[in-house]
């Protein structure tokens, strides 16, 4: 997929048939020789001068993964998520005895507060920021660099089981390699919804439309992208322990138009199915604050990973990857939650490794 799209660019610019690159190479490799130097002419004529056809779908996967933050946001707004818990085991004690137990530093029992959702606030506002470092191999043009992804939203609980909201997104990335670069920036907006299937199982869904500007070595693109995500997550407790299995399905399609007509327009499409699981244990920090260290893992099945460029057939390159996570969920009083998450992926892939850090703050009123 990646080589074919890049070869086509070279053919358009130089008049060389893409087949001629492959006639002297094994079919599985089908890669052009490296450029002779770093001059502008060599970069323009080198097939990997058009690397967004390969790396942009990698970024699309990361953006779909990031949209799953809505699952935890929705659960927290309903009061059943891992960041909204109430110390228990103090029933029947005086206020002084209960405070002494919490302040003693020993273990306390934590229970979910789904039964308190009726009296909890109706509005939920939140902000999320994530930094991802992309490390591509030489086979993927050796394009390395960061992806900055920001999200902010607000939702309102219409009923005890239904909430609706709106989300805004921002993305910025600067990927550089020996012979090419990809810089892009985008803004997005869309609705999301949350629904309690049971007191412990939450459905969330979102649709985001984005406008993206891309600078790719010597080319520029304007893009329109649509993302859609649906997820079901469970929040099950035993004492201070939480177990959260989940599954999500996500889809993204982006229409890229080259501004100067130098290369063909592209359509990128990505589909992702992700089963996941988390385990956490909640500890009391004070009479009004808790912290939950947790570990998690997810399998990302990229079942659609296609690039269609004008003049060549659609090429689809599905993959499966393992993603590992660890984090801390804090409650800061009864109406505020803060979380920190670290993540790595690319463990089952040969052409990219990623390392990410994320922070999220949510407040109810």
């Amino acid at each position: 997929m990646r080589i074919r799209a890049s070869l086509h660019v070279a053919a358009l610019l130089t008049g060389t048939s893409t087949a001629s690159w492959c006639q002297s190479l094994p079919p599985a490799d089908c890669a052009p020789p490296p450029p002779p130097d770093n001059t502008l002419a060599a970069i323009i004529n080198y097939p990997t001068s058009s690397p967004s056809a390969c790396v942009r779908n990698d970024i699309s996967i990361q953006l779909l993964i990031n949209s799953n933050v809505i699952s935890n946001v929705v659960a927290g707004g309903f009061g059943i998520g891992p960041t909204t818990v109430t110390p228990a085991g103090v029933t029947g004690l005086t206020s002084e005895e209960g405070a002494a137990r919490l302040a003693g530093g020993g273990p306390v029992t934590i229970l979910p507060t789904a039964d308190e959702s009726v009296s909890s606030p109706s509005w939920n506002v939140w902000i999320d920021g994530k930094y991802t470092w992309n490390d591509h191999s030489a086979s993927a043009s050796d394009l390395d660099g960061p992806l900055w992804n920001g999200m902010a939203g607000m939702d309102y609980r219409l009923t005890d089981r239904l909430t609706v909201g709106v989300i805004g997104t921002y993305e910025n990335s600067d990927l550089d390699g020996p012979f090419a670069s990809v810089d892009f920036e985008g803004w997005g907006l869309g609705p999301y919804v949350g629904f309690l299937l049971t007191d412990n199982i939450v459905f969330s869904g979102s649709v985001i439309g984005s406008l993206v500007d891309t600078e790719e070595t010597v080319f520029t693109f304007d893009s329109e992208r649509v993302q859609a995500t649906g997820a079901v997550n469970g929040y099950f407790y035993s004492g201070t322990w939480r177990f959260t299995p989940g599954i999500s399905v996500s889809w993204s399609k982006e229409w890229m138009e080259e501004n100067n007509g130098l290369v063909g327009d592209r359509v990128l499409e990505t589909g992702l199915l992700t089963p996941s699981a988390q385990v956490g244990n909640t500890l009391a920090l004070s009479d009004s604050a808790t912290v939950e260290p947790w570990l998690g893992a997810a399998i990302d099945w990229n079942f659609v990973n296609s690039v269609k460029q004008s003049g060549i057939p659609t090429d689809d390159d599905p993959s499966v990857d393992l993603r590992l996570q660890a984090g801390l969920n804090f409650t800061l009083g009864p109406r505020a939650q803060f979380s920190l998450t670290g993540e790595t992926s690319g463990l089952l892939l040969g052409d990219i490794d990623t390392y990410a850090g994320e922070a999220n703050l949510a407040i109810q009123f």
Side-chain angles (χ1 to χ4, degrees):
M1 175 185 70
R2 298 184 167 104
I3 295 299
R4 185 183 300 179
S6 301
L7 292 175
H8 180 59
V9 176
L12 288 175
L13 293 175
T14 65
T16 303
S17 169
T18 60
S20 64
W21 286 111
C22 303
Q23 287 174 352
S24 60
L25 295 168
D29 296 331
C30 195
D37 51 55
N38 288 330
T39 64
L40 180 60
I43 292 174
I44 292 176
N45 291 324
Y46 184 51
T48 56
S49 64
S50 181
S52 72
C54 58
V55 303
R56 286 302 297 272
N57 270 9
D58 291 337
I59 298 298
S60 295
I61 292 173
Q62 295 168 30
L63 295 173
L64 289 178
I65 291 171
N66 293 351
S67 66
N68 286 328
V69 70
I70 296 175
S71 302
N72 289 334
V73 167
V74 166
F78 278 122
I80 71 167
T83 58
T84 310
V85 293
T86 298
V90 296
T91 304
L93 301 179
T94 66
S95 59
E96 292 80 8
E97 291 171 333
R101 179 174 296 187
L102 288 172
V108 296
T109 301
I110 306 296
L111 295 177
T113 57
D115 57 344
E116 298 180 8
S117 61
V118 174
S119 60
S120 61
S122 297
W123 289 97
N124 182 39
V125 296
W126 57 275
I127 186 170
D128 186 275
K130 187 173 184 179
Y131 173 90
T132 303
W133 177 261
N134 290 271
D135 183 5
H136 284 90
S137 67
S139 63
S141 302
D142 199 20
L143 285 164
D144 302 333
L147 168 65
W148 296 91
N149 181 239
M151 293 180 283
M154 172 181 288
D155 56 71
Y156 180 78
R157 186 138 40 85
L158 296 177
T159 72
D160 293 346
R161 293 187 173 274
L162 177 64
T163 186
V164 295
V166 62
I167 179 177
T169 67
Y170 173 75
E171 64 197 66
N172 183 285
S173 190
D174 182 4
L175 306 178
D176 295 303
F179 311 109
S181 64
V182 177
D183 303 330
F184 60 89
E185 182 179 50
W187 298 86
L189 185 68
Y192 66 92
V193 62
F195 185 74
L196 281 180
L197 301 176
T198 73
D199 287 345
N200 299 95
I201 301 177
V202 183
F203 168 81
S204 61
S206 64
V207 177
I208 301 172
S210 301
L211 299 177
V212 185
D213 294 326
T214 302
E215 296 182 3
E216 180 190 306
T217 311
V218 294
F219 310 121
T220 61
F221 295 85
D222 290 332
S223 301
E224 298 177 355
R225 184 201 302 126
V226 176
Q227 296 173 230
T229 301
V232 176
N233 289 275
Y235 298 89
F236 302 99
Y237 294 82
S238 177
T240 62
W241 289 90
R242 169 183 63 90
F243 175 58
T244 299
I247 189 167
S248 67
V249 59
S250 308
W251 170 84
S252 172
K253 194 166 187 177
E254 181 172 350
W255 295 265
M256 300 181 65
E257 181 179 355
E258 206 280 319
N259 292 327
N260 299 309
L262 298 177
V263 294
D265 297 337
R266 305 188 187 115
V267 178
L268 311 181
E269 187 170 9
T270 306
L272 199 65
L273 179 66
T274 302
S276 62
Q278 293 181 5
V279 176
N281 185 30
T282 303
L283 307 172
L285 296 177
S286 70
D287 59 350
S288 61
T290 64
V291 60
E292 182 200 47
W294 61 271
L295 297 174
I299 298 292
D300 296 315
W301 176 29
N302 182 206
F303 60 89
V304 175
N305 188 32
S306 70
V307 174
K308 182 176 183 179
Q309 185 164 331
S310 301
I312 63 175
T314 299
D315 200 354
D316 201 356
D317 185 19
S319 63
V320 176
D321 191 24
L322 172 64
R323 184 161 36 95
L324 300 179
Q325 301 171 303
L328 297 171
N329 294 326
F330 296 88
T331 61
L332 309 174
R335 297 188 178 184
Q337 303 87 43
F338 178 70
S339 66
L340 296 171
T341 303
E343 180 180 272
T344 183
S345 66
L347 301 177
L348 303 182
L349 301 177
D351 58 356
I352 181 174
D353 295 309
T354 68
Y355 311 92
E358 184 174 12
N360 182 282
L361 175 66
I363 300 173
Q364 295 80 42
F365 62 93

